[in-house]
Amino acid sequence: MSSKEKLIIFDTTLRDGEQSPGATMTGEEKLRVALALERLRVDVIEAGFPAASPGDFESVKTIAEAVKESTVCGLARTAFGDIDAAGNALKNANSGRIHTFIATSPIHMEKKLRMSPDEVLERAVKAVERARGHTDNVEFSPEDAGRSEIDFLCRIIEAVIKAGATTINIPDTVGYNVPHQWEARFRTLIERIPNADKAVFSTHCHNDLGLATANSLAAVLGGARQVECTINGLGERAGNAALEEVVMAVRTRPNVFPCETGVDATQISSVSRLVSGVTGFVIQPNKAIVGANAFAHESGIHQDGVLKSADTYEIMRPQDVGLTTNRMTLGKLSGRAGFRDRLSQLGVTFTSEVELNDAFTRFKQLADKKSEIYDEDLQALVTDVGHVAANEKVRLVHLRVCSETGETPEAEVTLLIDGEERRGSARGGGPVDAAYRAIESLVQSGAELMLYSVSNITSGTDSQGEVSVRLADGEAVAKGLGADTDIVAASAKAYINALNHILDPVSRAHPQIDI
Ligand code: KIV
Ligand code: ZN
């Protein structure tokens, strides 16, 4: 048994992470991410904001019923309707938590809430009491605590702990603080609040100045014992503290931090990839811990050192975060059992035989084009499984693109639209442009392409290209992902995937509400 204190890891990928514009996930995708977070052994999964929409309520409820090991949390404003919605969504959870919040900074109280500090305090206390009627696991956040006055923070926190809050989360909502200040803020709060020992103090940092992880770690030094974070640092605006960075910093520097997490770090790479896949947010290559280059040694001096002894340049081993880069796992002759088995080692399970068969067919098609199939290929393949939704209106049947130097590229496309086969063609500035115009000539969505990015899934020219697109249609923003050894085909798949979200009324409804 370790003598170190526990650092609670509270993942908010499915709530704050989903507030990134364009990162909306379907209920099925959220469940998949929640089960992956449970395998990662995070302590708390903030599954969503149940009062935001019926879809969000259902998805928090489904996650609360499916997840057994982690606590499932629902966010609520201080309005009783929000708190009751969270309580109802969580009522079947093995372990559920209601997280309620209200802004406490002068600027938010005056300009947004138009309430006096005393009114805010009274609301907060009533909200916590109401939440305690549903569960004894209640978290309270004074929103914009990073710009709130310390005396008022001490007053409101003392009152909500007295009312029954068991976790006090201190958010740097606008990412304004710097590490030494943030550490000092925690020390002061914990020292000055008389009943501080009755609650766990938590930190929730945004990354507007690129300091979210540094501030979170500073808070831990100042006494925080819960860190709120997201996979790949997803989140509102510049994002939240990245879970993988916080966890690996605490683990790699045990002499600095007086606590340890219960996270199974070997799951980090696979969860990171899953979240990138379902949100369409590509991970930058130099991203700490999970970027493609995070463990790549390029310069001769570094390579020489690592070959002689890995610890010359590596402070962590790739396998610590579950990286099995470029390991060939399956090939053309692999059978269904081997396929299912390798995917289950990667933490992917199928909910039905139909889903398994569909993925296996794609695997065989890929193996025909690409002799060596790596873990990354398999994960891209299953991310694709989620795209074959029952409500898919548009399907790609065939694509032919002609591209020659000095000539205008031309594309011919055959689509199945609502079950009816349609053919179209177009010319474009490049092969991808021609393919997109040909698709649009048939679908006529009028959606605007906001983002197009392509990356390789593994190395080598036979690697699959993974294309991520974001389409906007009025208020609705939808992402699309496609993978193929042919990047024009991958591009068409990604575009059609996003179109299906735009054309689906359920996907269109973004669950965010004004907070
Ligand atoms: O950043 C923030 O203040 C939040 C709260 C809801 C905790 O996300
Ligand atoms: Zn936040």
Side-chain angles (χ1 to χ4, degrees):
M1 267 298 272
S2 161
S3 59
K4 286 194 150 188
E5 280 181 65
K6 172 87 185 274
L7 179 63
I8 297 168
I9 295 295
F10 175 114
D11 180 278
T12 183
T13 307
L14 295 172
R15 199 278 297 168
D16 214 321
E18 214 215 5
Q19 285 175 218
S20 316
T24 318
M25 296 171 237
T26 63
E28 186 270 332
E29 288 167 337
K30 286 184 187 172
L31 178 60
R32 203 138 37 103
V33 170
L35 294 173
L37 291 170
E38 184 182 30
R39 281 193 298 275
L40 182 65
R41 298 215 207 109
V42 306
D43 302 287
V44 188
I45 298 171
E46 189 164 50
F49 195 166
S53 70
D56 228 33
F57 179 91
E58 273 314 310
S59 120
V60 175
K61 183 168 182 289
T62 308
I63 291 170
E65 284 164 4
V67 167
K68 300 288 172 236
E69 302 294 329
S70 314
T71 294
V72 178
C73 175
L75 184 70
R77 292 168 296 191
T78 49
F80 284 3
D82 275 33
I83 290 168
D84 294 344
N88 290 334
L90 296 166
K91 71 170 187 269
N92 297 330
N94 244 2
S95 164
R97 173 184 296 185
I98 298 177
H99 175 190
T100 185
F101 71 98
I102 189 164
T104 51
S105 63
I107 189 164
H108 276 228
M109 290 191 291
E110 278 160 31
K111 299 193 173 149
K112 185 180 84 169
L113 299 176
R114 300 209 168 92
M115 286 167 76
S116 70
D118 284 345
E119 285 168 332
V120 167
L121 188 144
E122 196 189 329
R123 268 273 199 105
V125 166
K126 289 206 166 119
V128 169
E129 284 168 355
R130 181 80 174 194
R132 283 295 304 235
H134 290 278
T135 169
D136 56 9
N137 192 343
V138 175
E139 173 168 328
F140 173 75
S141 289
E143 192 195 4
D144 204 16
R147 294 187 299 170
S148 299
E149 283 166 2
I150 198 82
D151 289 346
F152 181 55
L153 272 185
C154 289
R155 200 151 72 81
I156 194 168
I157 292 171
E158 183 182 348
V160 293
I161 294 177
K162 212 188 251 166
T166 44
T167 300
I168 299 298
N169 178 46
I170 308 296
D172 186 18
T173 304
V174 292
Y176 181 66
N177 281 262
V178 296
H180 74 279
Q181 273 184 324
W182 203 234
E183 177 179 347
R185 184 147 280 231
F186 275 79
R187 281 193 198 288
T188 309
L189 290 173
I190 293 170
E191 265 164 35
R192 280 187 47 186
I193 296 169
N195 53 2
D197 61 324
K198 303 271 181 321
V200 172
F201 277 70
S202 163
T203 182
H204 175 114
C205 296
H206 279 270
N207 205 29
D208 299 67
L209 294 173
L211 293 170
T213 299
N215 284 340
S216 303
L217 295 172
V220 172
L221 296 178
R225 287 296 174 267
Q226 174 176 288
V227 175
E228 301 202 354
C229 44
T230 57
I231 301 292
N232 302 336
L234 216 62
E236 185 93 39
R237 304 182 310 281
N240 290 69
L243 178 147
E244 62 277 7
E245 294 173 10
V246 171
V247 166
M248 291 313 287
V250 170
R251 182 185 151 134
T252 307
R253 303 302 308 275
N255 297 337
V256 175
F257 299 100
C259 46
E260 61 193 3
T261 77
V263 164
D264 175 3
T266 62
Q267 294 289 320
I268 284 179
S269 290
S270 108
V271 184
S272 160
R273 209 183 147 69
L274 172 66
V275 169
S276 169
V278 298
T279 57
F281 275 51
V282 176
I283 303 165
Q284 75 195 55
N286 58 333
K287 164 82 184 62
I289 317 294
V290 292
N293 293 350
F295 292 92
H297 300 279
E298 191 67 26
S299 88
I301 297 173
H302 287 206
Q303 282 176 352
D304 181 52
V306 169
L307 285 175
K308 286 177 177 146
S309 175
D311 57 8
T312 50
Y313 287 99
E314 276 183 2
I315 58 166
M316 301 163 275
R317 297 171 312 157
Q319 54 272 37
D320 294 341
V321 296
L323 213 68
T324 51
T325 340
N326 289 1
R327 194 153 73 79
M328 192 189 81
T329 53
L330 295 175
K332 203 173 172 153
L333 300 176
S334 307
R336 194 182 308 257
F339 175 72
R340 188 206 299 252
D341 188 50
R342 183 64 204 145
L343 278 167
S344 91
Q345 285 166 23
L346 292 173
V348 178
T349 46
F350 294 98
T351 51
S352 67
E353 281 300 303
V354 177
E355 205 179 81
L356 166 66
N357 290 345
D358 189 29
F360 188 65
T361 307
R362 287 151 178 269
F363 161 69
K364 285 289 181 184
Q365 284 163 352
L366 180 63
D368 271 342
K369 294 190 228 158
K370 191 173 185 289
S371 53
E372 299 174 339
I373 309 278
Y374 301 104
D375 286 346
E376 291 86 342
D377 291 311
L378 292 178
Q379 281 174 319
L381 203 93
V382 265
T383 306
D384 261 11
V385 172
H387 298 160
V388 188
N391 50 4
E392 202 173 56
K393 276 177 86 72
V394 186
R395 254 178 202 248
L396 178 67
V397 177
H398 182 72
L399 173 70
R400 182 171 168 273
V401 180
C402 251
S403 164
E404 193 180 334
T405 38
E407 299 294 328
T408 306
E410 278 181 336
E412 285 170 20
V413 67
T414 307
L415 301 179
L416 215 52
I417 304 179
D418 286 328
E420 190 193 328
E421 201 162 285
R422 309 262 311 274
R423 278 200 190 98
S425 62
R427 294 162 145 247
V432 173
D433 187 44
Y436 281 17
R437 284 173 190 272
I439 295 168
E440 260 308 305
S441 75
L442 297 175
V443 179
Q444 300 193 339
S445 73
E448 192 189 339
L449 184 66
M450 313 280 286
L451 175 133
Y452 170 86
S453 92
V454 55
S455 55
N456 51 336
I457 288 178
T458 55
S459 55
T461 49
D462 74 338
S463 160
Q464 290 195 86
E466 186 168 55
V467 174
S468 172
V469 301
R470 212 163 296 143
L471 291 183
D473 181 23
E475 290 283 285
V477 179
K479 91 276 163 160
L481 207 73
D484 202 290
T485 47
D486 172 344
I487 60 163
V488 185
S491 304
K493 286 182 186 174
Y495 191 78
I496 290 169
N497 180 225
L499 278 179
N500 277 315
H501 288 303
I502 287 271
L503 299 172
D504 173 17
V506 179
S507 299
R508 270 184 85 96
H510 194 287
Q512 244 176 280
I513 55 171
D514 209 7
I515 57 174

